[in-house]
Amino acid sequence: MQDDFTVFWKNNDRARTLFYDLLARSERRAYDDDFLAQLAAYREAAPDSERADIFAAQYLLHHGDAENAALCGERAFQKRPLNLEVWRVLAAAYKQLGRELDAVTMQGYAYGLYRGADTGGIDLDLSLTEEIQNEALGRLTLATGKSLNAPTSTSRAYLMNPGLGFRFDVFIGEEIPITMPQGSARFWSAAYAENTGLSDHSYMLTEARHTAWFTRYGHRDFFFDLQKASEVRGTTEIALPAGREAIVPLAGTVPDQRISVTTPSMGTRDIYLGKWAFSFFRLNETTQLYADAQDAYAVGTPILLEHSPVRRKLVLNIFVDALSWAVVRPYAATHLPNISKFFARGTIFDQHFSTSEHTLSAFPAIETGCYPHHTHIFNVNAGRELPAEMTTTAEHMKALGYYCAIPMGADQGLSQGVMRGYDRAVLSTWIQNSVDGVDHVLRQLKAFDEVDQFLFLAVNDIHPYDGLGYKFDTNVETHLPLADRFFDHTERTASVFLTNMRIYQEQYLERVRQVDHNIGILLTYLEENFAADEYIVSLYSDHGVPIFNKETSDKLDIISTYVSNATWMMRGTGVPVGVRTNELTSIVDIQRTLAHLCGFSVAACSDGNLPAVFGGRERDVVCSTSQFPGQTFKLAVRTRDHALRLETQEFVDEDGRVDLAGATVGIYPREHELEEGYRLDSEELRAFFYPRARDFVRAIASNGEHWPAMRAARPQWFG
């Protein structure tokens, strides 16, 4: 790399030459001593590259050493878990080792993105015994990446007669096959029911689960109730410590399912459960349950009732999807009066930035404190599950003894394991209106007032959607002139590419008012029902919006300040009072700050920083990216005064890699990013920004080294 800062990025020519030499040898299957010598040279030239381990695994498989091939493949998988060649070597190694479920997962990853061998992927080769059949089909379904909105799946694997098929389906009345923390039951999927017929939703789902209308559209405002539970048949016993009480969720698998309940004090009585719906029961002694063996039922993990002086009674995270602080800060007095008033007695961060332009990548970054290029959750079409060592905030809070719940949230992130630490999650795909969310949280607070709770509420009222086919708020529609109701596009557009049309802006601001009104009710309840030292409340967003962007060119800036300047406010025990700070913060800092306030240690892989206002050290830069396969990679590295902006010439590949050579790089004043005539030619600024930007992107740089099969499968990207 040049150290005079005249060139931002220069590839490693020696490493690239060695890579293509090894690639040619592997294509000839020339796995000999010369191959090993070249591999050793490549490891020395590129010590951090996963490609050396891929080549090593190929060599070992050729020579019949599947065990060590798996070890090399697993090292490569840790660094590049969305890579086709990694999946190939691991699928083969696991198959030879008899690790069928692991082999199924790797095959599923490849099949989901690249289909069979004739299109560059892997032909499915499944050896399904009766013992592992259901688990294997479930893992295969999630691995293919077609369950982004699980529990719904647009392509669930099932056995036909004969062969394997895929169809629309819903995980309902069963476990969702995601990996859970050690000792934790899986989520058992039910329909959310409150003050209604217990089995009503089950009749609809039975008819609709395999239909396109439900899986593509009907589920958008349908709420699932996921709770940690085990499915049992016949008799089971719930043992309670002497003198303790617990709440236990139970769900049935047939309508009006009769369960016999036996306790020492009451003898045997009957209760009735709904099909695919949870009910709660309060127990104060060891209890035995019995049902006819032909029908299973779900028994949730008991929720022991107690408060602890070392915990807060409530730690509440309020996630307001797409709340851009750059947009709403000037409107705070008129559009956010209730939220602003509440958090004025806490800390508000004015220079808070997202890592990404969309929720898929940003939400895991918040929950783990790790950048998207470390979580590797950025590909909307790929199956991916967080590794166990990337512990989520809910996992930490659960370990501290909190009852962890999502009274209302979005299902994006479930299949990736982002929500695995919660005991309960009430989720829908699209519709999470704050008026409903506040009601859910208030109900949760009252129902579980005898436990210390960690709650996560997600609302998406203000998130903009393409106006084609969308019903805007009536208050907006009735006040806009007809001239503002015509759109400048004729095809559906992703929200990150929406332009600054007045109707989008008015819709956004109207919904901000509504969020403030509804969240304000919740915040008032907290002030009236909790002492000041009994809670910690955070309100934050995952990203902003492009619909207020300045028009600086024909190109839409999807990591502009309006898109990247997210919202973060805190109030409660340990939070400085009356502070409004310009300190630079990132969404990956939220977990580390909660760790500081609640008393847990973050994982070693965390990228988060404890802000100076909490006793940590101030960041000197914040980084925001767009790492979307099939698009150019974009980076913004910001200080309070300046921003380095980078965009590659090449598109991002499916595994997140991109060639940085030849990228367009410029440094601008913050208020004039990407504007012609404002680019700064300053050796001092380059000396400051270049090393920081290089360190940030190093892990995704391809060095011009590309796997042919991956490139050939995407001719629309790479020619």
Side-chain angles (χ1 to χ4, degrees):
M1 194 71 62
Q2 304 260 345
D3 59 7
D4 60 0
F5 308 116
T6 57
V7 176
F8 175 75
W9 193 268
K10 185 177 181 182
N11 284 334
N12 183 334
D13 291 336
R14 172 163 171 73
R16 186 171 65 252
T17 299
L18 288 166
F19 169 82
Y20 283 108
D21 179 81
L22 285 165
L23 182 63
R25 292 171 187 269
S26 69
E27 290 172 343
R28 299 195 308 270
R29 302 184 66 77
Y31 296 112
D32 51 20
D33 289 345
D34 288 340
F35 184 93
L36 290 179
Q38 290 294 85
L39 180 56
Y42 182 63
R43 283 194 185 277
E44 183 178 356
D48 297 324
S49 173
E50 76 285 351
R51 302 181 191 91
D53 278 317
I54 296 173
F55 285 127
Q58 292 172 345
Y59 174 93
L60 292 164
L61 284 170
H62 178 79
H63 291 283
D65 188 351
E67 185 173 352
N68 283 308
L71 292 175
C72 291
E74 286 165 354
R75 281 201 304 266
F77 184 82
Q78 287 182 324
K79 294 179 180 179
R80 201 64 50 194
L82 302 188
N83 183 276
L84 174 61
E85 299 302 328
V86 174
W87 298 332
R88 281 177 166 169
V89 295
L90 283 176
Y94 290 152
K95 193 78 173 177
Q96 292 179 35
L97 294 170
R99 295 169 57 178
E100 186 62 26
L101 289 174
D102 293 328
V104 166
T105 300
M106 294 300 145
Q107 291 179 52
Y109 288 149
Y111 192 81
L113 273 184
Y114 298 99
R115 311 305 290 174
D118 58 341
T119 55
I122 297 177
D123 290 332
L124 295 177
D125 178 19
L126 312 182
S127 302
L128 304 184
T129 64
E130 186 176 350
E131 182 183 9
I132 68 167
Q133 176 178 301
N134 289 338
E135 178 69 14
L137 292 173
R139 291 196 190 188
L140 177 62
T141 297
L142 295 189
T144 59
K146 303 303 182 288
S147 301
L148 181 66
N149 297 119
T152 60
S153 175
T154 59
S155 184
R156 184 173 182 179
Y158 72 107
L159 292 181
M160 302 187 297
N161 188 17
L164 178 72
F166 294 89
R167 63 183 175 185
F168 298 120
D169 202 1
V170 179
F171 287 95
I172 187 68
E174 60 190 312
E175 293 180 347
I176 297 179
I178 58 177
T179 306
M180 284 294 179
Q182 188 173 7
S184 170
R186 279 175 166 169
F187 285 124
W188 199 86
S189 178
Y192 178 69
E194 192 74 49
N195 299 317
T196 189
L198 270 173
S199 299
D200 287 2
H201 289 313
S202 72
Y203 298 109
M204 183 274 289
L205 288 173
T206 299
E207 295 293 325
R209 63 185 301 172
H210 300 309
T211 63
W213 74 262
F214 183 80
T215 308
R216 293 193 183 279
Y217 307 106
H219 65 99
R220 291 179 176 180
D221 60 354
F222 186 89
F223 281 91
F224 292 92
D225 188 358
L226 312 181
Q227 302 202 43
K228 300 276 184 74
S230 299
E231 194 169 287
V232 298
R233 293 178 185 273
T235 301
T236 190
E237 184 176 272
I238 302 170
L240 294 185
R244 297 295 299 277
E245 291 186 284
I247 296 169
V248 178
L250 302 176
T253 58
V254 295
D256 301 325
Q257 186 170 2
R258 183 166 62 90
I259 307 290
S260 295
V261 180
T262 303
T263 70
S265 65
M266 294 191 308
T268 301
R269 305 284 295 275
D270 290 340
I271 60 174
Y272 293 87
L273 302 178
K275 181 179 180 180
W276 304 341
F278 278 104
S279 297
F280 293 96
F281 297 87
R282 187 183 184 102
L283 308 181
N284 59 11
E285 55 188 327
T286 295
T287 303
Q288 189 177 82
L289 306 176
Y290 169 79
D292 292 338
Q294 71 266 23
D295 295 322
Y297 57 103
V299 179
T301 304
I303 305 161
L304 290 172
L305 304 181
E306 67 171 355
H307 289 296
S308 169
V310 300
R311 298 191 292 261
R312 308 283 76 75
K313 285 189 176 180
L314 173 66
V315 179
L316 171 63
N317 286 354
I318 303 172
F319 176 103
V320 184
D321 197 344
L323 184 62
S324 169
W325 194 233
V327 172
V328 301
R329 183 183 175 189
Y331 296 92
T334 55
H335 290 62
L336 284 176
N338 298 301
I339 290 173
S340 297
K341 179 182 177 182
F342 180 86
F343 287 102
R345 282 164 278 180
T347 297
I348 299 174
F349 295 92
D350 282 337
Q351 295 292 326
H352 180 65
F353 286 85
S354 176
T355 58
S356 312
E357 79 280 24
H358 62 130
T359 305
L360 177 72
S361 296
F363 178 43
I366 294 170
E367 292 296 293
T368 64
C370 298
Y371 289 123
H373 62 279
H374 292 151
T375 66
H376 295 277
I377 299 178
F378 51 76
N379 190 328
V380 71
N381 295 310
R384 167 65 174 154
E385 196 170 30
L386 282 175
E389 62 269 18
M390 281 190 179
T391 43
T392 64
T393 300
E395 288 178 87
H396 290 296
M397 297 299 280
K398 184 62 181 175
L400 293 177
Y402 287 88
Y403 176 61
C404 303
I406 303 175
M408 188 181 80
D411 53 25
Q412 196 169 105
L414 175 70
S415 62
Q416 291 95 350
V418 182
M419 304 176 197
R420 65 194 178 198
Y422 290 96
D423 298 290
R424 184 188 189 193
V426 178
L427 309 175
S428 73
T429 300
W430 263 34
I431 308 300
Q432 300 98 35
N433 287 321
S434 57
V435 64
D436 300 314
V438 168
D439 178 71
H440 286 209
V441 173
L442 292 176
R443 195 182 305 277
Q444 175 83 24
L445 291 174
K446 295 170 184 177
F448 296 91
D449 60 336
E450 296 165 274
V451 298
D452 299 320
Q453 300 188 67
F454 171 61
L455 303 183
F456 174 85
L457 167 65
V459 301
N460 73 344
D461 308 50
I462 69 173
H463 193 291
Y465 293 103
D466 183 6
L468 298 181
Y470 184 78
K471 172 64 174 73
F472 291 93
D473 193 277
T474 300
N475 191 31
V476 173
E477 292 182 340
T478 58
H479 287 88
L480 275 183
L482 182 61
D484 290 319
R485 298 299 302 277
F486 301 107
F487 298 102
D488 53 8
H489 60 283
T490 57
E491 296 183 0
R492 297 290 172 89
T493 303
S495 60
V496 296
F497 297 114
L498 295 180
T499 57
N500 56 358
M501 294 181 63
R502 185 183 173 192
I503 191 169
Y504 291 135
Q505 296 178 350
E506 292 297 329
Q507 171 78 4
Y508 188 87
L509 294 173
E510 173 61 26
R511 296 292 268 165
V512 167
R513 290 190 191 96
Q514 295 171 15
V515 167
D516 180 74
H517 171 79
N518 297 323
I519 297 295
I521 294 171
L522 173 58
L523 300 178
T524 298
Y525 178 87
L526 300 183
E527 290 182 311
E528 293 176 351
N529 290 274
F530 289 84
D533 62 350
E534 290 181 332
Y535 65 82
I536 299 171
V537 183
S538 304
L539 186 146
Y540 52 79
S541 62
D542 52 346
H543 55 77
V545 289
I547 56 176
F548 290 85
N549 276 358
K550 295 186 292 184
E551 293 185 4
T552 58
S553 69
D554 294 336
K555 215 165 160 186
L556 187 63
D557 185 3
I558 63 173
I559 57 169
S560 70
T561 298
Y562 289 115
V563 177
S564 301
N565 188 189
T567 301
W568 186 21
M569 310 173 184
M570 299 188 78
R571 177 178 165 181
T573 307
V575 179
V577 177
V579 173
R580 188 157 186 166
T581 176
N582 280 320
E583 179 180 356
L584 295 169
T585 59
S586 169
I587 61 173
V588 297
D589 300 337
I590 294 172
Q591 187 194 62
R592 189 174 288 272
T593 303
L594 284 171
H596 170 74
L597 295 172
C598 297
F600 63 83
S601 299
V602 300
C605 58
S606 172
D607 297 307
N609 174 69
L610 182 66
V613 70
F614 289 101
R617 297 182 62 183
E618 185 170 352
R619 287 178 173 272
D620 57 2
V621 297
V622 285
C623 298
S624 303
T625 68
S626 175
Q627 186 184 8
F628 201 95
Q631 299 176 16
T632 58
F633 174 78
K634 305 165 189 71
L635 169 70
V637 182
R638 294 180 171 99
T639 66
R640 281 194 290 269
D641 300 317
H642 298 95
L644 176 144
R645 298 296 304 270
L646 175 150
E647 183 172 3
T648 60
Q649 301 297 314
E650 183 184 75
F651 287 165
V652 177
D653 208 340
E654 297 282 15
D655 66 352
R657 287 279 201 185
V658 68
D659 193 348
L660 294 168
T664 301
V665 183
I667 300 172
Y668 303 85
R670 273 279 304 276
E671 56 278 9
H672 296 289
E673 294 182 24
L674 297 184
E675 291 186 37
E676 289 293 330
Y678 285 94
R679 184 168 173 169
L680 301 171
D681 184 14
S682 166
E683 183 177 349
E684 180 182 2
L685 287 174
R686 288 195 299 272
F688 174 85
F689 277 104
Y690 278 21
R692 289 162 174 80
R694 289 169 179 167
D695 286 344
F696 189 84
V697 300
R698 200 175 307 279
I700 68 166
S702 71
N703 196 48
E705 302 169 22
H706 309 301
W707 297 104
M710 293 175 63
R711 289 283 160 135
R714 299 292 180 264
Q716 69 274 30
W717 299 354
F718 303 115

